[in-house]
């Protein structure tokens, strides 16, 4: 009996069962094996409203790699992040090794940029890996997507490290000499903002660290029946670390950020526009929700989600680079290894422990 279209979290039922098609025989050559429909693969491999273009299960690693050149429903998921990966490799390679500046690539001033660059590159690399090798086995599929979630949390924390050193020090909002008279003039409060700002600076990185771990746990749990709307939850969780950029938004409301730093203002708000668009496609499952089967190979929501997340990071790189340029003109105390790379290494250990815990429980390895 044909299986019902798997749309857990979508809130709709699938279309009428199509006539069952016989899967390719096991003894035929790999190149001759046809792509499968949604009713010919296990439920845990079925994507919402995607009816065709599935690879056979289980695939070998060689077959997975070969599939990136075939019209499957995962092919453009790979390419929409592999091409940006190459672009950012070139960009960061130029910044570290070919910019012609006076700061060598190993200088402490560049430690936050190394943290940020590693996050950007890792999240694109893990996304590519997860989409290519997602049909090796059920357990490996879960492992790759857990690593994908962890890499996004790693990237979010790396972004916060870059903000902390390159962007936040230049904000009037975090300058007690500016904020104390501003609060007194606007609100009539005689408050010395020095301690509040010092407390905020002391808590930014620890809070961002805990948030990265918590987001990874939530995303991993979303792959179980515990979560009715996994895509909405993951989108919300991915957005949570972006709250660490709130001071930049407040700066634009309270002060003339557009006039003082137009590069930051334009790219910051354009980045968040791309993120809103990406979130819309990831949650709504449009356009495949409207016409299931039409966008299986080209144009489905996850491909659009990839494209707009790439555009958001592309804009972010621009204003992080501008922040670095301003930082190098008058650098404060040099970033420390423990306050940058040390944090990132500790986060890797914590995220690894989270993934190991979920993989050791079979219930977390058998859902979408």
């Amino acid at each position: 009996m044909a299986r019902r279209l798997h749309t857990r979290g979508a809130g709709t039922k699938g279309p009428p069962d199509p006539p069952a098609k016989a899967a390719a025989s096991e003894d035929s050559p790999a190149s001759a094996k046809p792509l499968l429909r949604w009713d010919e693969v296990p439920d845990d491999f079925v994507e919402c409203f995607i009816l065709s273009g599935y690879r056979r299960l289980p695939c070998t690693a060689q077959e997975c790699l070969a599939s990136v050149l075939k019209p499957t429903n995962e092919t453009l998921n790979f390419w929409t992040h592999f091409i940006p990966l190459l672009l950012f490799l070139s960009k960061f390679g130029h910044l570290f090794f070919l910019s012609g500046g006076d700061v060598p690539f190993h200088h402490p001033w560049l430690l936050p940029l190394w943290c940020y660059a590693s996050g950007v590159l890792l999240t694109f690399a893990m996304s590519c890996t997860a989409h290519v090798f997602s049909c090796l086995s059920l357990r490996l599929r879960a492992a790759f997507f857990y690593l994908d979630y962890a890499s996004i949390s790693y990237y979010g924390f790396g972004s916060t490290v870059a903000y902390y050193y390159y962007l936040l020090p230049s904000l009037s909002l975090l300058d007690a000499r500016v904020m104390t008279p501003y609060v007194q003039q606007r609100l009539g409060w005689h408050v010395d903002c020095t301690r509040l700002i010092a407390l905020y600076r002391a808590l930014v990185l620890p809070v961002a660290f805990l948030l990265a771990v918590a987001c990874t746990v939530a995303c991993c749990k979303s792959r179980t029946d515990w979560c009715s709307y996994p895509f909405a939850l993951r989108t919300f969780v991915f957005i949570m670390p972006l709250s660490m950029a709130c001071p930049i938004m407040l700066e634009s409301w309270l002060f003339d950020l557009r006039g003082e730093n137009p590069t930051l203002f334009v790219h910051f708000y354009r980045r968040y526009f791309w993120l809103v668009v990406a979130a819309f496609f990831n949650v709504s499952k449009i356009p495949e929700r409207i016409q299931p089967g039409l966008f299986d190979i080209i144009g489905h929501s996850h491909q659009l989600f990839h494209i707009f997340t790439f555009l958001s990071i592309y804009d972010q790189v621009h204003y992080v680079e501008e922040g670095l340029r301003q930082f190098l003109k008058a650098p404060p105390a040099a970033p420390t290894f423990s306050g940058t790379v040390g944090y990132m290494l500790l986060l890797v250990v914590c995220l690894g422990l989270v993934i190991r815990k979920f993989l050791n429980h079979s219930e977390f390895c058998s859902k979408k």
Side-chain angles (χ1 to χ4, degrees), residues 42-116:
D43 284 345
D44 298 311
F45 287 81
V46 178
E47 300 292 339
C48 297
F49 307 107
I50 302 298
L51 307 186
S52 63
Y54 293 96
R55 295 170 290 180
R56 75 176 186 88
L57 305 168
C59 278
T60 65
Q62 183 178 1
E63 288 171 336
C64 289
L65 290 172
S67 71
V68 302
L69 299 177
K70 297 178 181 179
T72 75
N73 56 34
E74 289 281 20
T75 300
L76 287 183
N77 287 340
F78 168 79
W79 288 106
T80 50
H81 268 181
F82 184 70
I83 293 174
L85 173 62
L86 297 180
L87 186 151
F88 286 124
L89 272 171
S90 174
K91 177 66 175 178
F92 289 123
H94 178 80
L95 284 176
F96 285 117
F97 305 109
L98 302 174
S99 60
D102 297 329
V103 181
F105 69 90
H106 53 79
H107 197 283
W109 289 344
L110 296 184
L111 287 176
L113 185 62
W114 277 108
C115 295
Y116 173 66

Side-chain angles (χ1 to χ4, degrees), residues 171-176 178-179 197 246-248 250-251 254-255:
L171 299 182
S172 298
L173 185 70
L174 297 179
D175 187 342
V178 175
M179 286 306 298
I197 293 174
C246 282
I248 299 175
L250 292 174
E251 179 83 6
L254 301 177
F255 302 96

Side-chain angles (χ1 to χ4, degrees), residues 31-234:
S31 60
K33 291 186 182 297
L35 296 176
L36 307 178
R37 288 182 56 82
W38 63 270
D39 55 336
E40 298 173 314
V41 297
D43 284 345
D44 298 311
F45 287 81
V46 178
E47 300 292 339
C48 297
F49 307 107
I50 302 298
L51 307 186
S52 63
Y54 293 96
R55 295 170 290 180
R56 75 176 186 88
L57 305 168
C59 278
T60 65
Q62 183 178 1
E63 288 171 336
C64 289
L65 290 172
S67 71
V68 302
L69 299 177
K70 297 178 181 179
T72 75
N73 56 34
E74 289 281 20
T75 300
L76 287 183
N77 287 340
F78 168 79
W79 288 106
T80 50
H81 268 181
F82 184 70
I83 293 174
L85 173 62
L86 297 180
L87 186 151
F88 286 124
L89 272 171
S90 174
K91 177 66 175 178
F92 289 123
H94 178 80
L95 284 176
F96 285 117
F97 305 109
L98 302 174
S99 60
D102 297 329
V103 181
F105 69 90
H106 53 79
H107 197 283
W109 289 344
L110 296 184
L111 287 176
L113 185 62
W114 277 108
C115 295
Y116 173 66
S118 66
V120 171
L121 298 178
L122 182 63
T123 195
F124 281 109
M126 280 310 311
S127 173
C128 293
T129 303
H131 285 296
V132 170
F133 297 107
S134 61
C135 59
L136 286 173
S137 70
L138 195 59
R139 181 177 177 81
L140 286 176
R141 176 185 174 87
F144 282 127
F145 281 108
Y146 289 162
L147 289 169
D148 189 25
Y149 305 149
S151 70
I152 294 172
S153 295
Y154 179 91
Y155 152 72
F157 182 72
S159 298
T160 303
V161 170
Y163 287 2
Y164 181 81
Y165 289 101
Y166 296 153
L167 298 174
L168 299 187
S170 66
L171 299 182
S172 298
L173 185 70
L174 297 179
D175 187 342
R177 294 169 300 178
V178 175
M179 286 306 298
T180 297
Y182 180 90
V183 170
Q184 292 176 354
Q185 180 182 359
R186 292 297 182 92
L187 302 177
W189 297 350
H190 296 279
V191 177
D192 185 357
C193 297
T194 303
R195 291 185 178 180
L196 291 176
I197 293 174
L199 178 64
Y200 175 81
R201 290 181 181 277
L203 292 177
V204 168
L205 292 181
V207 169
F209 185 97
L210 294 176
L211 194 59
V213 177
C215 287
T216 303
V217 172
C219 283
C220 291
K221 285 181 70 67
S222 74
R223 296 188 69 86
T224 72
D225 287 329
W226 165 83
C227 180
S228 300
Y229 299 93
F231 299 107
L233 175 64
R234 290 171 205 162

